């Protein structure tokens, strides 16, 4: 039987050196969404129920298109970070890596689809 000190048992089990960055990324995106979501609701609410031509004309202006694009980008990035934390907490082993990859692909795919739709309407 080997005698191991507490320090020796803990070596190699330390942090992954990315927790603080992930924490601050979530906080910054949360604050950004606190500003972007009301702006998006007010800009989107103006054209809710309008005809297709009016919506295209409205989103051809830069401010509503930029607000919608930023909301999509920050929203899906925040979703991706949150789901990653959830998966890291509750899924273990190889399935953890597979689920993180799948959810990252899903969130970036949805982000790209939303940005394409905004660009198609705005241009």
């Amino acid at each position: 039987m080997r005698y191991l000190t507490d320090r020796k048992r803990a070596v190699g089990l330390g942090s992954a050196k990315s927790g603080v960055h992930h924490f601050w990324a979530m906080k910054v995106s949360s604050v950004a969404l606190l500003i972007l979501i009301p702006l998006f609701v007010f800009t989107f609410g103006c054209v809710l129920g309008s005809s297709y031509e009016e919506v295209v004309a409205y989103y051809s202006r830069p401010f509503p298109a930029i607000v919608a694009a930023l909301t999509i980008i920050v929203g899906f990035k925040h979703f991706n970070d949150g789901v990653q934390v959830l998966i890291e907490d509750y899924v273990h082993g190889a399935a953890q890596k597979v689920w993180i990859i799948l959810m990252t692909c899903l969130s970036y795919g949805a982000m790209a689809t939303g940005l394409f739709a905004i660009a198609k309407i705005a241009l």
Side-chain angles (χ1 to χ4, degrees):
M1 176 184 245
R2 295 182 343 189
Y3 176 74
L4 296 176
T5 62
D6 292 337
R7 180 183 177 277
K8 187 67 174 175
R9 263 191 296 272
V11 170
L13 300 175
S15 71
K17 309 281 191 287
S18 64
V20 173
H21 170 72
H22 192 82
F23 172 80
W24 277 107
M26 287 292 288
K27 294 300 172 193
V28 168
S29 64
S30 296
V31 171
L33 285 172
L34 280 174
I35 297 166
L36 286 171
I37 293 297
L39 279 174
F40 177 75
V41 168
F42 289 129
T43 58
F44 182 73
C46 293
V47 293
L48 192 62
S50 300
S51 68
Y52 176 77
E53 292 78 21
E54 291 172 342
V55 172
V56 169
Y58 183 75
Y59 276 102
S60 294
R61 298 188 350 222
F63 183 72
I66 290 171
V67 168
L70 284 175
T71 304
I72 289 170
I73 292 169
V74 176
F76 278 112
K77 179 66 175 128
H78 185 78
F79 167 77
N80 185 37
D81 291 344
V83 165
Q84 181 177 345
V85 169
L86 184 107
I87 292 170
E88 288 170 351
D89 286 345
Y90 295 109
V91 181
H92 303 290
Q96 179 184 35
K97 292 178 185 174
V98 170
W99 276 107
I100 289 174
I101 291 169
L102 287 174
M103 293 311 292
T104 301
C105 290
L106 176 74
S107 63
Y108 282 114
M111 185 190 307
T113 303
L115 290 176
F116 177 76
I118 294 292
K120 187 114 171 131
I121 290 172
L123 300 177

